[in-house]
Each structure stands twice: as C-alpha cells, then as structure tokens.
C-alpha cells in the first residue's frame, strides 16, 4: 500500500509538471513574440509524421534570439539537403495518399531564401541523419516563419 501511494504521488508530480512544459515547437515559435498561424498541415501519424507550417511574425526581433542564426552560404547548402529530404517524403506520402493535406498544400518556394534570413535546425538525438528534424526559417523580407518537421 505504501508503494502504491508513493507511485501515485510520483505520477501526479510528473503529470502536473508535464502540463507546464512547452513543446520545442512552441518554445521556438514563442521566442519570436506574437505570431499568427497562416497554415499548418500534417501527414498525421502517431510517431512517423511530416508537418509544414507558415506563420506571420511581424514584430519578430531575432538579434538576440536563442535559437535563430543569420543564414550563411554554408547554411544554404545544409538547408537544401534537409529540404531535399523533406520534399522526398512529401512525394513518398503522395504516392500512397495523394489526398493527404500536407501533400496537397505544401507550397514552399526556395527562391525566397537568402542570406538576409534567419534559420534554426534541430536534429533529434539518437536518430540517423534526416531521421527526425525541425527546420525553422524566418524570411526577413516578408516576416513569415516557415516550419518543416519530419520524423520518419
């Protein structure tokens, strides 16, 4: 009985603690200040999923942001590798589920990216290359934030 009470108390603490923890996605987005969600699409799935989001963040100040760095020429090469992988998964999902919302609505134009933009790439630990990642790209000309997530 004593062990059951201890286990119950521990479970309560864990659950209450988890309620106050923001997801990585929320932490990164909220670091920019108020952002309006323009679009968000997901391939669904419990573990394996692909997401694409667009947010308008008109008042974002990235100079002292703990996540974002100014885009460099080297970053562009790295970013293209991730986007090649991401778009490959969009194609793969489209072959098995052509009506999937992320397939139908994915609309990123690479030509908008330049060295005046800001980038944050998160790679999941204990995953192979391109196994789990988040890409956040802030287009400084438009004030738009693009979010790419893949976990396959």
């Amino acid at each position: 009985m004593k062990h059951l009470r201890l286990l119950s108390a521990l479970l309560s603490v864990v659950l209450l603690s988890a309620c106050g923890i923001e997801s990585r996605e929320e932490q990164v987005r909220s670091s920019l200040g108020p952002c309006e969600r323009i679009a968000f699409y997901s391939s669904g799935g419990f573990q394996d999923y692909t997401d694409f989001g667009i947010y308008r963040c008109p008042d974002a100040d990235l100079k002292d942001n703990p996540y974002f760095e100014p885009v460099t020429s080297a970053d562009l090469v790295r970013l293209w590798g991730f986007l090649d992988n991401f778009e490959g998964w969009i194609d793969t999902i489209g072959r098995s589920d052509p009506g999937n919302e992320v397939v139908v609505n994915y609309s990123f134009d690479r030509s908008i990216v330049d060295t005046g933009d800001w980038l944050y790439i998160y790679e999941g630990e204990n995953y192979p290359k391109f196994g789990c990642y988040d890409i956040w790209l802030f287009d400084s000309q438009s004030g738009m934030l693009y979010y790419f997530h893949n976990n396959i």
Side-chain angles (χ1 to χ4, degrees):
M1 187 67 157
K2 187 177 185 180
H3 293 300
L4 185 57
R5 272 190 247 159
L6 179 61
L7 182 60
S8 177
L10 275 171
L11 184 58
S12 296
V13 168
V14 168
L15 289 175
L16 289 173
S17 298
C19 292
I21 298 173
E22 283 185 308
S23 70
R24 182 178 49 259
E25 177 186 348
E26 292 165 337
Q27 289 173 355
V28 174
R29 192 177 58 245
S30 67
S31 77
L32 297 173
C35 294
E36 173 190 3
R37 179 162 58 174
I38 304 301
F40 188 87
Y41 307 105
S42 181
S43 68
F46 174 66
Q47 272 187 312
D48 300 340
Y49 57 96
T50 301
D51 298 332
F52 173 66
I54 305 171
Y55 302 85
R56 181 178 294 117
C57 307
D59 301 320
D61 180 12
L62 291 118
K63 284 183 228 169
D64 296 319
N65 189 285
Y67 300 101
F68 289 85
E69 305 254 340
V71 173
T72 65
S73 297
D75 291 329
L76 290 175
V77 172
R78 184 172 181 224
L79 176 60
W80 298 155
F82 277 96
L83 289 180
D84 288 345
N85 178 269
F86 185 84
E87 291 170 353
W89 282 108
I90 296 289
D91 291 341
T92 299
I93 295 164
R95 283 194 295 278
S96 63
D97 184 6
N100 187 286
E101 69 178 31
V102 76
V103 172
V104 172
N105 295 294
Y106 178 70
S107 60
F108 183 70
D109 178 6
R110 292 183 186 206
S111 71
I112 68 164
V113 182
D114 59 41
T115 55
D117 295 332
W118 295 77
L119 180 66
Y120 171 60
I121 297 176
Y122 168 83
E123 292 184 74
E125 297 175 17
N126 304 317
Y127 284 88
K129 182 75 171 169
F130 303 126
C132 176
Y133 58 85
D134 294 333
I135 302 167
W136 295 91
L137 176 70
F138 182 79
D139 178 36
S140 57
Q141 288 77 24
S142 68
M144 301 299 266
L145 175 67
Y146 296 89
Y147 171 65
F148 309 82
H149 169 81
N150 202 34
N151 182 27
I152 301 296

